[in-house]
Amino acid sequence: IRYTEAHRPQFHFSPPDHWMNDPNGMVYHEGEYHLFYQHYPDSTVWGPMHWGHAVSEDLVHWENLPIALYPDSLGYIFSGSAVVDHNNSSGLGEDGQPPLVAIFTYHDPVGESAGREDYQSQAIAYSNDRGRTWTKYAGNPVIPNEQPIRDFRDPKVLWDTEREQWLMALAAQDRIMFWRSDNLIDWAFLSDFGQQVGGHGGVWECPDLFPLPVRGSGETKWVLLVSINPGGPNGGSATQYFVGDFDGTTFTMDPTFSPDVQNGEGVWIDYGRDNYAGVTFANIPDADGRRIFIGWMSNWLYGQEVPTTEWRSAMTLPRTLELHRLTPGYRVFSTPVRELDALRDATTPIQSGTTALPATAEGTYEVDVRFLTTEASTEPFGIELENGLGETYRVGYDPAAGQFFSDRQDSGDTGFSEAFADRITQAPRLATSDTVRLHAFFDVASAELFADGGATVITDIFFPSEPFRRVRLFYGDGTEVLGGETYALEGIWP
Ligand code: FRU
């Protein structure tokens, strides 16, 4: 399929048709990256959840596969993860080959309407044919909801190499629970984290716990991602994180990180309004060593109302997460995966004094530009997209405010939801250098800014009435363009 509908992303994953939300079950196995996703195949709004499925050999070009998991008598198939059970600890493998095991939440709509509290539980399914067909485990659920807890979901499983155990991070309303297992079937509760810290403007969902080396040191810390809805820094859904240590049982925040997440404050993986429920791939080979993240490029505030017809929503670009130790403490940086370089078509250097950048017919660009600021830099600067109707989108930095921003208020169709363009997205700057680097990817309906080498990230979607076929740099007195490159980007769909 070559997607031609208005607003259809050209280099992002979007479902062939109908509704999509969270990425699920992301795992690398036998040369393929698997992307499953929350999917309702009968409508362009949320409904009884299935796991849709696609695979990629390069994280960039995707092949759509049939639906992997259908709802059944135990409920809808909510978010979760997948692992390769290398030692066949589950006994679900065949012919000496390790099975793929998916760990997901059953959401029982009947129990929910009956007013029960235990309508979410954790279950598994397995595949012995590279994820092409799946069998649900006969003894499901593997974690019934005994307490019960109303929001009890989104299991993310990791092999803890140090303790040689399976670890699960599980969202439980206002905290994250950790569970352990030897075989992915029998699970024991370990501890919980988070009731007193971080953003609590909404329910906690879609956790992910993993170790991450600290760049430029021999140290490794553990990162815990937690999505919350609502309560994001710019309204609605967003993903915060915590940095600390995990001793096999308990997650403890690093003392240098803890002050930043007191009194309802959060530190966010992305300050934009359209990166939610993101988690990382399991089983990336050691020789690669990356921690690769994908999020749902939308927001529960308006995700079901965006003006698309055949399908709804897309995923963010895949990003590499890295941990840096800065003056304020540990921070997770996100950068687009290097495989995306393959999409670069015509390359144009950006020189000092440049304003107009070359356009493309489809409105798909990568711009990587460095600005030099001085004490005289008071006006906002950045990148502007425009179409023939005078609709515009701007992303950049405001030196007076010390904030990056993304402004979609005049970007076209904004009227489908009052919440969509009620503000300009803002994001704090962490870097202190005079040079501000804006590295941005613009697809037909989205912008992703990786500022200062990924220290601050903004992802925002938009719906211009016709493609943005003009790109220019804007800046005021005291600010100069140092240089950079701009690329026309190819689409990923054949
Ligand atoms: C997050 C979420 C998850 C849940 C899924 C249902 O967006 O609410 O917590 O498992 O979506 O589709």
Side-chain angles (χ1 to χ4, degrees):
I1 7 141
R2 187 170 161 76
Y3 292 133
T4 54
E5 304 98 329
H7 309 306
R8 182 67 102 158
Q10 295 298 311
F11 62 91
H12 286 81
F13 180 80
S14 59
D17 46 37
H18 295 124
W19 172 260
M20 175 177 84
N21 56 291
D22 315 355
N24 293 150
M26 292 192 289
V27 62
Y28 179 77
H29 184 49
E30 293 184 9
E32 293 176 323
Y33 297 91
H34 289 263
L35 171 64
F36 301 87
Y37 53 91
Q38 289 287 279
H39 182 43
Y40 182 36
D42 297 330
S43 173
T44 49
V45 293
W46 191 89
M49 285 289 111
H50 300 53
W51 275 26
H53 191 192
V55 289
S56 172
E57 288 175 10
D58 63 359
L59 284 167
V60 175
H61 300 86
W62 296 92
E63 179 195 343
N64 291 304
L65 292 181
I67 289 173
L69 295 172
Y70 284 79
D72 59 48
S73 62
L74 293 179
Y76 304 165
I77 314 295
F78 269 23
S79 286
S81 49
V83 293
V84 180
D85 184 8
H86 285 290
N87 301 326
N88 195 22
S89 67
S90 61
L92 299 169
E94 275 169 15
D95 307 328
Q97 297 297 312
L100 270 176
V101 178
I103 308 95
F104 60 89
T105 298
Y106 266 125
H107 171 96
D108 168 20
V110 181
E112 187 187 23
S113 341
R116 295 177 66 104
E117 307 251 283
D118 62 353
Y119 55 85
Q120 295 185 339
S121 60
Q122 319 319 319
I124 63 175
Y126 54 97
S127 168
N128 284 301
D129 59 359
R130 302 170 73 231
R132 272 28 182 204
T133 60
W134 291 83
T135 308
K136 288 168 186 148
Y137 174 62
N140 279 336
V142 294
I143 306 186
N145 192 341
E146 274 165 5
Q147 283 206 23
I149 300 168
R150 287 179 67 88
D151 295 290
F152 186 63
R153 59 178 180 265
D154 308 338
K156 178 71 165 74
V157 174
L158 162 92
W159 176 249
D160 175 5
T161 48
E162 219 176 305
R163 268 75 50 168
E164 304 202 316
Q165 59 178 350
W166 295 107
L167 280 177
M168 177 194 291
L170 186 65
Q173 208 158 0
D174 58 352
R175 59 196 184 276
I176 302 304
M177 290 177 147
F178 303 108
W179 296 67
R180 73 168 302 286
S181 177
D182 291 319
N183 59 11
L184 296 164
I185 293 169
D186 302 300
W187 292 91
F189 173 74
L190 291 172
S191 64
D192 59 26
F193 169 83
Q195 267 175 313
Q196 311 299 332
V197 293
H200 277 280
V203 66
W204 283 28
E205 302 184 316
C206 300
D208 192 2
L209 174 75
F210 48 85
L212 205 55
V214 181
R215 294 286 290 194
S217 84
E219 194 185 29
T220 292
K221 288 281 163 190
W222 287 70
V223 173
L224 176 63
L225 304 180
V226 178
S227 281
I228 83 168
N229 176 49
N234 284 288
S237 332
T239 303
Q240 60 186 327
Y241 65 90
F242 302 91
V243 180
D245 295 295
F246 190 81
D247 64 4
T249 306
T250 310
F251 178 78
T252 313
M253 257 194 297
D254 192 88
T256 64
F257 192 83
S258 166
D260 301 324
V261 290
Q262 302 303 323
N263 307 314
E265 291 290 311
V267 178
W268 307 88
I269 201 88
D270 187 322
Y271 283 80
R273 303 186 86 194
D274 298 295
N275 179 356
Y276 191 61
V279 290
T280 64
F281 277 90
N283 202 46
I284 298 292
D286 286 344
D288 177 324
R290 286 178 296 175
R291 186 49 66 178
I292 302 169
F293 169 103
I294 293 179
W296 177 46
M297 196 157 61
S298 193
N299 189 314
W300 283 114
L301 272 181
Y302 45 73
Q304 302 188 76
E305 285 139 49
V306 297
T308 61
T309 47
E310 308 301 309
W311 86 101
R312 267 218 180 89
S313 81
M315 294 300 178
T316 68
L317 289 177
R319 301 156 182 205
T320 304
L321 303 184
E322 287 180 354
L323 195 55
H324 290 252
R325 185 158 188 172
L326 309 178
T327 315
Y330 295 100
R331 288 293 183 271
V332 176
F333 285 33
S334 302
T335 49
V337 296
R338 59 172 176 266
E339 285 86 341
L340 291 160
D341 293 0
L343 299 180
R344 290 173 177 171
D345 205 345
T347 303
T348 312
I350 298 173
Q351 263 121 26
S352 152
T354 296
T355 51
L357 302 184
T360 70
E362 288 188 318
T364 54
Y365 318 91
E366 176 184 351
V367 179
D368 191 359
V369 57
R370 284 167 293 116
F371 289 91
L372 181 66
T373 60
T374 64
E375 278 176 17
S377 303
T378 51
E379 289 170 48
F381 58 86
I383 307 159
E384 182 182 77
L385 307 182
E386 192 183 9
N387 64 18
L389 303 168
E391 296 168 346
T392 57
Y393 168 77
R394 285 183 157 214
V395 66
Y397 183 64
D398 180 352
Q403 300 273 325
F404 292 97
F405 64 91
S406 156
D407 184 353
R408 64 184 178 195
Q409 291 189 308
D410 298 315
S411 62
D413 187 351
T414 59
F416 52 86
S417 158
E418 276 180 18
F420 183 72
D422 62 348
R423 69 190 74 193
I424 295 170
T425 297
Q426 296 213 304
R429 185 168 194 229
L430 294 177
T432 51
S433 105
D434 293 340
T435 303
V436 177
R437 179 176 168 206
L438 304 180
H439 185 191
F441 287 74
F442 302 104
D443 202 337
V444 172
S446 62
E448 288 160 283
L449 171 69
F450 304 93
D452 294 326
T456 300
V457 182
I458 296 180
T459 303
D460 276 349
I461 56 174
F462 43 64
F463 302 93
S465 312
E466 58 178 49
F468 287 131
R469 295 200 176 97
R470 287 181 211 157
V471 203
R472 68 176 194 103
L473 303 177
F474 63 93
Y475 46 97
D477 289 346
T479 305
E480 276 174 49
V481 173
L482 279 178
E485 283 87 37
T486 183
Y487 310 91
L489 294 183
E490 286 169 7
I492 61 173
W493 303 102

